[in-house]
Amino acid sequence: MARIDVNHIRHSYLAEPRKDSDFALKEVHHTFEDGGAYALLGPSGCGKTTLLNIISGLLKPSHGQLLFNGRDVTGLSTQERNIAQVFQFPVIYDTMTVYDNLAFPLRNRGVPEAEVERKVRETLDMIDLSDWAKRKARRLTADQKQKISLGRGLVRSDVNAILFDEPLTVIDPHMKWMLRSQLKQLHRRYGYTMVYVTHDQTEALTFAEHVVVMYDGEIVQIGSPAELFERPRHTFVGYFIGSPGMNVVPVSIEGKTARLGSQSIELPGAPKAAGDNIQLGIRPEYVHVGSQGMPVTVTKVEDVGRHKIVRATLEGRDIAAVMSEDDQVPAEPKVRFEPAGINIYADSWRIEMGG
Amino acid sequence: MLELRNVSKVVGADTHIADVSLTLHHGSLNVLLGPTLSGKTSLMRLMAGLDAPTSGSVWFDGKDVTGLPVQKRNVAMVYQQFINYPAMTVYENIASPLRVAGIDKARIDSEVRKAAELLKLTPYLDRMPLNLSGGQQQRTALARAIVKNASLVLLDEPLANLDYKLREELREELPKIFAKAGTIFVYATTEPHEALLLGGNTATLSQGRVTQFGPTIEVFRKPVDLVTARTFADPPLNTIVLAKNGNHFLLDGGVNLPVPVGLAGIADGNYTIGFQPHHLSLERLGAAAVPVRAKVSVTEITGSESFVHLDFADVRWVMLAHGIRQFAPDDEVEVFIDPRHIMVFDDSGRAVAVPQLAA
Amino acid sequence: MERTWNNKAWFLVLPVLVLVAFSAVIPLMTVVNYSVQDTFGNNQFFWAGTEWFEELLASDRFWQAMGRNMAFSFIILAIEVPLGIFIALNMPKKGWGVPVCLVLMALPLLIPWNVVGTIWQVFGRNDIGLLGYTVNALGFDYNYVQDPFDAWVTVIVMDVWHWTSLVVLLCYAGLVSIPDAFYQAAKIDGASRWSVFRYIQLPKMQRVLLIAVLLRFMDSFMIYTEPFVVTGGGPGNSTTFLSIDLVKMALGQFDLGPAAAMSLVYFLIILLLSWVFYTVMTNYDAER
């Protein structure tokens, strides 16, 4: 396993990029620590797959350097980098058995057959497919095929990193849970460096220790799931993570109070907010619907089983709140913002609130 | 009103649809929920007239339309793939079903603009579909489906190929479309969460059978059998087989669950107990809640919630807890099951009790 | 995929059934009728039973022609399939080269059989033909009119030139349907060029290859026009294939009975071999 340093990498698919918008990856500078579980999260076109392909060597960056354990691998081919990758759609060798699929990368590297046997058996155990070893791989279900793709990476003891490119796209919801928890267990037990690309926040947050949120070719924030949830650095992170996303409303600041129309909202501190474009962000989970607080008009209540999502207007602004499944919206609904859940943004970037 | 009467579809040795009877009313939204290959698409093809059933009949407004091909029915379909005419502008794409119908220009124009407005496509009317984002391409396909003024609109996992957030945005637009009076909407999805957000009615499918059909929230809260409960649970439904003995459900090794009031009369024997992940809690929330000691396998944290995968006896459970709950693997934790939230299934998988706390 | 059960469908199919009856079944019955009778003209027929069949199956001439057919089909398959795969593998997958290659490949397929024959007949002549003249000028003694081997080479090269494109186009269609991820995964797994071919490209081409082999086999087994135009079945009988022999017998010698028996046997062989191919293909499909 390896530490991966992405040194000021820029990439453009154009031969002669001129302006900033010609770059699919504007400038990424980041270290993936040895043994870490990372997710690259963002909407399509944000550059996350470009970055993954640069790490795996399927793409050579226009600018910058890539280091594995301090060694420059920018010019090395995919084979020489010794990485494993699981793709969006299962890649299996149709005509081979499950066993031969897993043995393939080892045999290609001239590993002696006895060693191949030992490693393949061990890997089959890890991915829970021992009983299927002799089956033709094409007869398996989508989730099993994805495990084979993963297994072909795990079987090599010397892989530097395992990369995932939206691996759960074709998997049914129930199997997603199984596969995700198995992945996590593998990571914990064997300490692989894993980088996981997805547009699905649930997958990213549940899989990774560190989530790298990307937008428009740049990293917007890197943090633990809790940090991204509680302290989004940019309103985009607030919107993109969480379902529904963070409520963002324009306010004006006076000391430790934010003004929204005729309402005053208590803040946990006094932000040093300058400029006109000041916004208050609060997640629906921190908006409490009850009989106290600011009056709202409820437009819709969505019962999604484990909780209810309340859509309402507050001072002419659409906001969402989350309510537990047993609670009811009162006759004259009001909302209260939990101060701990409030963030203040100037020009979309979060600003600190002094005590 | 679209009626399927004892419809089956057998292809070779495979039964794709097994004896399905459904009645869908005008102006209703009907979700077909089930995993891949459970028969959602096959059922839609039968409804559309793309396939004819092997046995059974299809009725529309009291008329037998079993053999009637799709061209003769007033049906619109939207697929998982973004299917538009690549050589036509968005405007022409939306207008195409109206042009086929031979409607006059002025009306076509007003219809197209109305649909484009509804689906936020107005700025893109002169663009080619392939130069648009996936979300906009699918909006174009949806707009084409609604201008057609079809009496039956079938949507086969229309959001599956979109990014998570785009899915969320487009899902918010859908009710506006579904509000179109008089049309029967059928919407296939693999995701329970999506069914709940859409509301309407839901038919749960498993292996070509409709296991239950009714108002979405009711099917979710009061499943008639174990298969339905499992189909309609994400994270997966937690289950355990317990032996009823008098007033208690028992398992060697530490479960002793009082039998909920109203079930005292059922015979002693083995029952499968099911409960949703958010009904497994770290705190004793109800007076009757019983503690169970389980071992932590994996913890997944989303920031606002934690999914704790637990091993108990020989089964795997998922607990959904609020906030951040960090556990080390192999930690023993005490979790609580509230008998008010449990579903009880008999040997054959039929539900004998569903939660009484259903709001 | 789209099966709609409808009574009207039968009426729509009816003309085709009638057409097939007139174009295939009725002539076939006529042939069957001829094959068991003898005629000396004047519309006088005598019952011959299985005599013609027995004679045919005992005749060296038939078996030699049959052997030539088999050899020809085998040789052209052995050349065209690997060559077609090779060319398909080396064709560009994107960019301006794609349409150029596709058009070049499609060109020979657009030329009618007899024109192909005429082209090669002239092309190979050692007095005025570019090929024949050049080869002879280079010191090779090449003359397809006199030398059986040269005649075979000419007929085979002609067929390869004419039909390899079909194999190429079919294989190419199979190849471009392979997602990029497969090649990327193979790189990551350290697969050699050969492994990529053996485990990714070949399995994905298998179905189209079967179709290509079936088409090329049936077509080559029925070869008639080109050798007829170029060599006329000679020199000697060296390029007399079943079809040429059949025409000689039926039209040249007016032996309707034996010719009918022969065409029936010929027909049954093609039917049998096509059935074998079809079974292999459908079995393969069922396995998928």
Side-chain angles (χ1 to χ4, degrees):
Chain A
M1 288 293 134
R3 188 186 77 238
I4 301 170
D5 291 299
V6 177
N7 275 354
H8 302 286
I9 280 188
R10 291 156 67 78
H11 185 74
S12 171
Y13 291 98
L14 304 178
E16 283 172 33
R18 287 162 210 284
K19 34 187 205 307
D20 235 20
S21 61
D22 289 345
F23 284 88
L25 218 50
K26 297 221 171 94
E27 169 143 353
V28 173
H29 186 73
H30 177 62
T31 299
F32 296 96
E33 294 296 342
D34 189 358
Y38 293 86
L40 302 179
L41 174 68
S44 53
C46 74
K48 56 190 193 297
T49 304
T50 305
L51 181 55
L52 194 78
N53 287 340
I54 286 172
I55 297 174
S56 66
L58 297 169
L59 268 183
K60 195 176 177 310
S62 318
H63 302 278
Q65 243 189 344
L66 187 74
L67 309 179
F68 281 9
N69 281 338
R71 192 167 78 101
D72 187 347
V73 296
T74 321
L76 295 189
S77 71
T78 302
Q79 284 101 316
E80 293 165 307
R81 289 187 193 191
N82 243 338
I83 46 94
Q85 186 160 349
V86 179
F87 296 89
Q88 193 172 5
F89 297 97
V91 175
I92 51 144
Y93 302 107
D94 273 349
T95 51
M96 296 187 198
T97 60
V98 173
Y99 182 99
D100 289 338
N101 258 277
L102 296 189
F104 190 63
L106 297 179
R107 288 176 179 156
N108 285 333
R109 289 172 172 77
V111 175
E113 204 54 30
E115 172 74 3
V116 170
E117 164 100 26
R118 196 179 62 77
K119 289 298 296 181
V120 171
R121 295 275 164 220
E122 191 183 301
T123 310
L124 281 169
D125 263 352
M126 282 162 71
I127 56 174
D128 231 357
L129 284 178
S130 295
D131 298 342
W132 301 77
K134 293 281 162 244
R135 300 281 197 105
K136 280 265 190 249
R138 68 158 174 270
R139 302 283 184 91
L140 272 54
T141 56
D143 53 293
Q144 289 172 321
K145 286 181 181 172
Q146 250 348 13
K147 288 208 270 187
I148 295 174
S149 308
L150 173 63
R152 282 204 314 271
L154 299 177
V155 75
R156 286 152 50 198
S157 37
D158 58 346
V159 283
N160 282 317
I162 304 178
L163 311 177
F164 299 87
D165 190 0
E166 308 196 2
L168 300 183
T169 305
V170 292
I171 310 295
D172 272 336
H174 285 191
M175 290 316 297
K176 278 185 185 170
W177 288 89
M178 299 286 300
L179 271 183
R180 258 168 36 201
S181 72
Q182 283 186 335
L183 263 188
K184 248 192 131 89
Q185 271 173 332
L186 284 174
H187 176 255
R188 203 182 62 222
R189 269 192 216 145
Y190 303 98
Y192 296 111
T193 308
M194 291 180 166
V195 182
Y196 187 116
V197 161
T198 180
H199 61 81
D200 186 318
Q201 46 162 311
T202 315
E203 281 178 35
L205 296 168
T206 52
F207 168 80
E209 296 155 345
H210 311 279
V211 179
V212 180
V213 184
M214 294 185 67
Y215 180 58
D216 204 12
E218 282 174 300
I219 294 176
V220 198
Q221 185 171 5
I222 303 169
S224 68
E227 284 162 2
L228 295 177
F229 187 79
E230 276 159 12
R231 298 283 171 263
R233 262 189 72 204
H234 191 275
T235 46
F236 171 78
V237 180
Y239 149 81
F240 200 76
I241 288 175
S243 185
M246 184 169 72
N247 299 302
V248 178
V249 289
V251 291
S252 57
I253 302 288
E254 286 163 23
K256 291 180 81 170
T257 322
R259 288 202 180 281
L260 168 62
S262 61
Q263 302 294 333
S264 300
I265 300 158
E266 208 57 46
L267 301 178
K272 295 164 210 58
D276 310 326
N277 191 8
I278 306 294
Q279 292 166 307
L280 179 149
I282 184 160
R283 296 214 171 264
E285 286 82 354
Y286 295 115
V287 178
H288 301 293
V289 180
S291 43
Q292 292 175 358
M294 302 172 278
V296 291
T297 319
V298 171
T299 49
K300 196 174 163 197
V301 180
E302 295 165 0
D303 189 338
V304 296
R306 64 179 190 243
H307 56 238
K308 290 174 187 161
I309 298 168
V310 181
R311 309 269 177 189
T313 32
L314 167 65
E315 296 288 320
R317 300 280 163 182
D318 287 338
I319 59 160
V322 167
M323 223 165 105
S324 102
E325 69 170 328
D326 300 326
D327 290 347
Q328 300 295 332
V329 178
E332 278 177 30
K334 297 198 168 91
V335 295
R336 199 167 52 78
F337 288 181
E338 197 174 315
I342 294 176
N343 290 291
I344 299 294
Y345 297 87
D347 289 324
S348 301
W349 291 94
R350 182 171 179 273
I351 48 176
E352 286 299 325
M353 276 186 260
Chain B
M1 189 166 75
L2 176 71
E3 277 176 279
L4 303 183
R5 295 188 188 164
N6 303 96
V7 163
S8 294
K9 177 76 186 173
V10 181
V11 178
D14 299 327
T15 302
H16 291 189
I17 294 295
D19 193 22
V20 166
S21 295
L22 269 183
T23 304
L24 312 178
H25 294 278
H26 287 287
S28 69
L29 164 64
N30 307 279
V31 180
L32 303 179
L33 172 67
T36 316
L37 296 180
S38 59
K40 303 186 296 296
T41 304
S42 304
L43 198 57
M44 283 193 156
R45 293 180 63 89
L46 292 176
M47 289 174 176
L50 286 167
D51 286 331
T54 314
S55 64
S57 54
V58 183
W59 296 70
F60 199 88
D61 286 342
K63 275 204 319 232
D64 187 347
V65 294
T66 312
L68 203 64
V70 65
Q71 298 88 329
K72 301 237 172 121
R73 303 192 194 182
N74 192 7
V75 178
M77 248 180 133
V78 177
Y79 302 85
Q80 190 176 337
Q81 298 80 9
F82 315 134
I83 297 177
N84 294 300
Y85 299 105
M88 292 185 188
T89 60
V90 169
Y91 183 100
E92 284 305 316
N93 260 286
I94 302 174
S96 60
L98 300 173
R99 294 225 195 279
V100 172
I103 290 166
D104 69 86
K105 260 204 159 115
R107 232 193 87 205
I108 290 181
D109 192 66
S110 85
E111 290 281 317
V112 169
R113 291 191 187 280
K114 218 169 69 193
E117 194 57 40
L118 189 68
L119 284 155
K120 300 183 179 160
L121 282 170
T122 309
Y124 311 105
L125 282 174
D126 295 329
R127 303 267 290 272
M128 290 297 183
L130 291 180
N131 298 333
L132 298 176
S133 74
Q136 288 155 350
Q137 290 186 39
Q138 196 63 319
R139 282 168 196 264
T140 307
L142 284 166
R144 204 174 54 232
I146 54 168
V147 294
K148 195 177 173 190
N149 211 1
S151 43
L152 176 64
V153 178
L154 303 162
L155 306 118
D156 194 355
E157 299 189 48
L159 306 185
N161 281 359
L162 294 172
D163 272 14
Y164 190 91
K165 271 286 158 178
L166 277 176
R167 241 179 254 181
E168 219 172 80
E169 276 171 25
L170 205 48
R171 209 183 278 133
E172 275 175 41
E173 315 279 328
L174 287 175
K176 286 194 247 166
I177 300 169
F178 297 149
K180 195 168 177 84
T183 306
I184 302 172
F185 288 93
V186 182
Y187 187 108
T189 180
T190 57
E191 293 184 33
H193 187 65
E194 189 156 86
L196 286 165
L197 282 170
L198 290 169
N201 302 314
T202 290
T204 43
L205 272 92
S206 172
Q207 301 182 337
R209 286 177 189 284
V210 169
T211 58
Q212 189 172 354
F213 179 60
T216 302
I217 199 73
E218 203 178 301
V219 178
F220 174 74
R221 293 243 156 82
K222 299 185 157 91
V224 293
D225 56 23
L226 188 54
V227 177
T228 306
R230 281 194 203 281
T231 307
F232 215 148
D234 182 40
L237 186 77
N238 298 318
T239 58
I240 186 160
V241 177
L242 296 176
K244 178 180 178 280
N245 188 352
N247 288 329
H248 294 273
F249 286 117
L250 299 169
L251 179 81
D252 296 340
V255 189
N256 184 337
L257 203 63
V259 172
V261 200
L263 273 186
I266 61 172
D268 284 2
N270 281 346
Y271 290 90
T272 301
I273 308 294
F275 48 95
Q276 298 285 354
H278 63 282
H279 287 146
L280 200 57
S281 61
L282 286 160
E283 298 88 28
R284 187 190 292 265
L285 292 173
V290 292
V292 171
R293 294 196 72 80
K295 205 155 85 175
V296 175
S297 154
V298 173
T299 313
E300 300 178 308
I301 296 165
T302 69
S304 58
E305 294 167 328
S306 307
F307 297 108
V308 187
H309 295 245
L310 299 164
D311 287 321
F312 175 77
D314 58 346
V315 290
R316 167 68 62 91
W317 288 342
V318 181
M319 170 172 63
L320 170 61
H322 283 290
I324 293 162
R325 310 291 184 133
Q326 200 60 269
F327 296 98
D330 295 333
D331 270 2
E332 280 240 337
V333 289
E334 192 171 50
V335 292
F336 295 88
I337 306 171
D338 194 326
R340 292 177 304 171
H341 288 138
I342 63 169
M343 311 170 189
V344 181
F345 305 97
D346 66 14
D347 265 357
S348 62
R350 207 171 48 86
V352 291
V354 289
Q356 294 136 38
L357 254 189
Chain C
M1 283 297 279
E2 301 185 10
R3 272 181 229 147
T4 307
W5 194 83
N6 193 333
N7 278 325
K8 215 161 84 188
W10 288 107
F11 291 102
L12 295 174
V13 180
L14 199 65
V16 179
L17 289 179
V18 172
L19 208 70
V20 170
F22 274 101
S23 68
V25 180
I26 292 172
L28 189 67
M29 285 306 121
T30 321
V31 173
V32 171
N33 188 30
Y34 280 144
S35 73
V36 291
Q37 301 189 61
D38 196 2
T39 176
F40 303 106
N42 297 337
N43 261 344
Q44 284 180 297
F45 288 90
F46 306 93
W47 176 251
T50 58
E51 195 183 314
W52 299 129
F53 290 94
E54 285 162 31
E55 196 174 284
L56 180 76
L57 295 176
S59 83
D60 283 348
R61 177 173 159 179
F62 172 74
W63 288 111
Q64 278 164 5
M66 173 75 127
R68 282 190 283 271
N69 260 46
M70 286 290 184
F72 179 72
S73 292
F74 178 79
I75 291 170
I76 67 109
L77 282 179
I79 297 172
E80 287 176 13
V81 171
L83 184 65
I85 293 174
F86 179 79
I87 296 174
L89 286 175
N90 288 293
M91 265 170 66
K93 301 289 178 295
K94 46 181 154 245
W96 57 269
V98 177
V100 173
C101 283
L102 288 178
V103 168
L104 280 179
M105 283 296 138
L107 271 181
L109 298 175
L110 298 174
I111 306 174
W113 287 257
N114 55 342
V115 176
V116 171
T118 313
I119 291 174
W120 281 82
Q121 199 229 353
V122 176
F123 194 42
R125 278 173 65 167
N126 48 16
D127 48 353
I128 55 164
L130 185 62
L131 177 78
Y133 186 81
T134 315
V135 169
N136 276 294
L138 287 171
F140 296 97
D141 183 20
Y142 167 83
N143 188 339
Y144 67 79
V145 186
Q146 280 161 18
D147 188 313
F149 179 78
D150 290 353
W152 267 78
V153 169
T154 309
V155 174
I156 285 167
V157 168
M158 182 170 62
D159 196 89
V160 168
W161 176 82
H162 196 182
W163 289 111
T164 304
S165 300
L166 181 74
V167 183
V168 172
L169 292 177
L170 284 169
C171 288
Y172 186 74
L175 281 175
V176 292
S177 70
I178 302 174
D180 253 3
F182 278 79
Y183 295 114
Q184 298 176 354
K187 268 192 200 168
I188 289 166
D189 290 336
S192 61
R193 184 70 198 80
W194 166 251
S195 294
V196 170
F197 174 69
R198 169 71 187 76
Y199 298 113
I200 297 174
Q201 292 170 326
L202 195 58
K204 297 275 173 198
M205 279 193 295
Q206 210 160 332
R207 283 193 65 183
V208 284
L209 265 182
L210 273 164
I211 295 169
V213 168
L214 179 64
L215 285 176
R216 284 312 303 131
F217 170 78
M218 293 200 319
D219 243 18
S220 64
F221 207 77
M222 296 189 296
I223 182 139
Y224 174 75
T225 316
E226 297 98 322
F228 179 76
V229 173
V230 178
T231 63
N237 275 333
S238 61
T239 55
T240 301
F241 297 105
L242 281 174
S243 55
I244 294 180
D245 203 17
L246 187 64
V247 174
K248 271 186 190 168
M249 202 187 286
L251 298 178
Q253 299 153 247
F254 219 70
D255 287 335
L256 281 189
M262 185 172 165
S263 52
L264 267 186
V265 172
Y266 192 21
F267 170 72
L268 289 176
I269 290 168
I270 292 182
L271 198 67
L272 175 80
L273 288 167
S274 302
W275 176 78
V276 169
F277 276 115
Y278 180 78
T279 315
V280 170
M281 273 163 62
T282 43
N283 274 354
Y284 177 77
D285 266 0
E287 247 182 67
R288 296 284 316 187

